[in-house]
Amino acid sequence: MATIDVPEQVSVLADAEALRKACKGWGTDEKAIISVLGHRNAVQRKQIRLAYEDLYQEDLIKRLESELSGDFEKAVYRWILDPADRDAVLANVAIKKLSPDHHVIVEISCTRSPEEHLAVRRAYQARFKHSLEEDVAAHTKGDTRKLLVALVSAFRYDGEEINTRVANSEAKILHEAVKDKEFNHEEIIRILSTRSKMQLMATFNRYRDDHGTTITKNLEGDSGDEFLKTLRTTIRCLNDPKKYFEKVLRNSIRRVGTDEDALTRVIVTRAEKDLKDIKELYYKRNSVPLDQAVAKDTAGDYKALLLTLLGKED
């Protein structure tokens, strides 16, 4: 369930005019920007961008980038992009870091639907004139490269059908590989990168029923092992994405100094999907409402935008 509150009747022309007014003259009216963009869905935001360009022969995104700054600017930029284009930008930023954020690549590859993931790959090519696969391959190595390239190249079956026999046999294959500490076994990568999410859930459930523990618990190991960390993230994202996102939010707020990148990424990418469920999970796990935790850890216009996307005005 989404958290953003979108009015039934919207005039994209009036919205474009309101944004123009917010950016004109001395100082920017950040509250006006939040009150428009924070209450519009992806389709409406795209229509506003097109209307703004028609009216003023100016790119709204570039205008906002020049008017805003800091975490607020980054959050507005992420929010106003089309979802596939946003994921393409997030993936590119993650890949090009000095020490790449492999978990962001996994997140995009494993928590989006096959059609959404395909749209991200198209948007990536259009924007960066490279394929996502080649950039991931160029900035990773060894077993991590094998796993990530397989994940970003996947186009999984998205239906409900599962094969119990396959779940049983592949739970055995996974267990054997994990028991022998062959975490980089090609069968692990094949199973995780080709099977449908429903099929994988059946396999992980079989594994738990047969061995009395989850596969991720059995993958605990050297915290510095990048491949093992990426493997655990892959399984968490495929098996229970909401639980995974709750943990990302918890870690982003709990650490010394807020991880604004992670906080922004999860709120912006899930606000139109399942952020309401993630909020409920967060409350169950932490006994504090997510909006309260966010309000305590953020400030100013950045805080106001995040709270708006969480469905709670400051």
Side-chain angles (χ1 to χ4, degrees):
M1 292 274 295
T3 48
I4 61 159
D5 181 19
V6 179
E8 280 180 31
Q9 294 294 316
V10 167
S11 162
V12 294
L13 284 174
D15 285 347
E17 285 163 8
L19 291 170
R20 174 72 167 189
K21 193 177 166 197
C23 294
K24 277 191 88 172
W26 289 101
T28 310
D29 186 349
E30 286 88 355
K31 283 187 173 54
I33 291 169
I34 294 167
S35 78
V36 173
L37 295 178
H39 295 285
R40 303 293 181 268
N41 62 33
V43 172
Q44 291 163 341
R45 296 193 304 275
K46 184 173 188 172
Q47 289 169 341
I48 293 165
R49 291 201 316 269
L50 294 171
Y52 188 94
E53 194 152 1
D54 263 2
L55 285 170
Y56 307 111
Q57 286 72 58
E58 181 181 52
D59 184 324
L60 175 59
I61 294 176
K62 287 201 171 102
R63 183 60 190 256
L64 289 170
E65 279 184 294
S66 72
E67 294 285 336
L68 311 175
S69 62
D71 293 319
F72 179 56
E73 182 270 320
K74 202 184 272 189
V76 169
Y77 176 66
R78 301 274 194 261
W79 178 244
I80 201 170
L81 290 174
D82 286 338
D85 203 26
R86 176 204 299 143
D87 279 348
V89 169
L90 288 169
N92 186 260
V93 169
I95 293 165
K96 296 290 171 71
K97 278 190 173 177
L98 201 55
S99 149
D101 282 339
H102 297 143
H103 61 279
V104 176
I105 306 300
V106 172
E107 198 177 287
I108 291 165
S109 306
C110 299
T111 66
R112 309 319 190 231
S113 73
E115 289 296 340
E116 285 168 346
H117 183 49
L118 198 55
V120 174
R121 288 164 67 191
R122 288 200 179 104
Y124 194 97
Q125 286 198 22
R127 184 179 266 268
F128 300 109
K129 312 306 177 218
H130 291 244
S131 73
L132 178 55
E133 299 88 315
E134 70 182 301
D135 277 359
V136 167
H139 289 84
T140 51
K141 55 183 191 288
D143 295 325
T144 303
R145 175 194 282 168
K146 280 183 206 160
L147 175 61
L148 289 177
V149 170
L151 292 175
V152 298
S153 310
F155 185 69
R156 302 171 191 275
Y157 166 64
D158 199 26
E160 301 285 315
E161 285 79 4
I162 59 165
N163 184 320
T164 310
R165 190 176 47 77
V166 167
N168 294 346
S169 73
E170 293 190 344
K172 278 198 188 87
I173 291 169
L174 291 174
H175 184 254
E176 286 303 312
V178 170
K179 182 170 63 98
D180 297 338
K181 299 215 176 307
E182 289 184 14
F183 304 127
N184 61 351
H185 198 294
E186 63 181 26
E187 285 292 87
I188 291 187
I189 293 175
R190 173 189 68 79
I191 291 165
L192 295 181
S193 63
T194 63
R195 294 298 185 197
S196 76
K197 291 176 188 177
M198 293 302 287
Q199 183 65 45
L200 284 167
M201 282 165 75
T203 300
F204 299 146
N205 287 341
R206 181 80 258 168
Y207 186 105
R208 190 194 60 223
D209 293 347
D210 286 349
H211 307 291
T213 186
T214 62
I215 183 168
T216 45
K217 281 274 189 295
N218 282 163
L219 287 171
E220 298 293 342
D222 177 8
S223 61
D225 185 329
E226 195 53 48
F227 174 69
L228 206 51
K229 217 180 338 182
T230 308
L231 197 58
R232 283 198 300 270
T233 303
T234 301
I235 293 167
R236 286 185 178 124
C237 284
L238 289 165
N239 192 37
D240 197 339
K242 290 172 193 170
K243 196 172 162 188
Y244 163 80
F245 285 122
E246 183 280 326
K247 190 173 183 183
V248 175
L249 288 170
R250 178 164 23 106
N251 290 343
S252 75
I253 292 166
R254 265 193 181 169
R255 54 184 280 167
V256 180
T258 311
D259 181 352
E260 286 88 1
D261 278 353
L263 183 61
T264 302
R265 188 180 75 249
V266 175
I267 290 177
V268 160
T269 58
R270 306 319 292 177
E272 295 180 84
K273 293 193 165 288
D274 52 8
L275 193 51
K276 197 171 266 187
D277 305 322
I278 295 164
K279 275 173 74 172
E280 283 169 16
L281 263 179
Y282 186 93
Y283 184 69
K284 267 187 206 163
R285 183 81 171 67
N286 305 281
S287 307
V288 175
L290 178 58
D291 18 50
Q292 195 176 308
V294 168
K296 192 176 162 208
D297 253 46
T298 55
D301 300 313
Y302 175 58
K303 166 176 145 181
L305 176 63
L306 294 189
L307 291 180
T308 301
L309 298 184
L310 281 163
K312 185 163 178 91
E313 305 296 325
D314 190 9

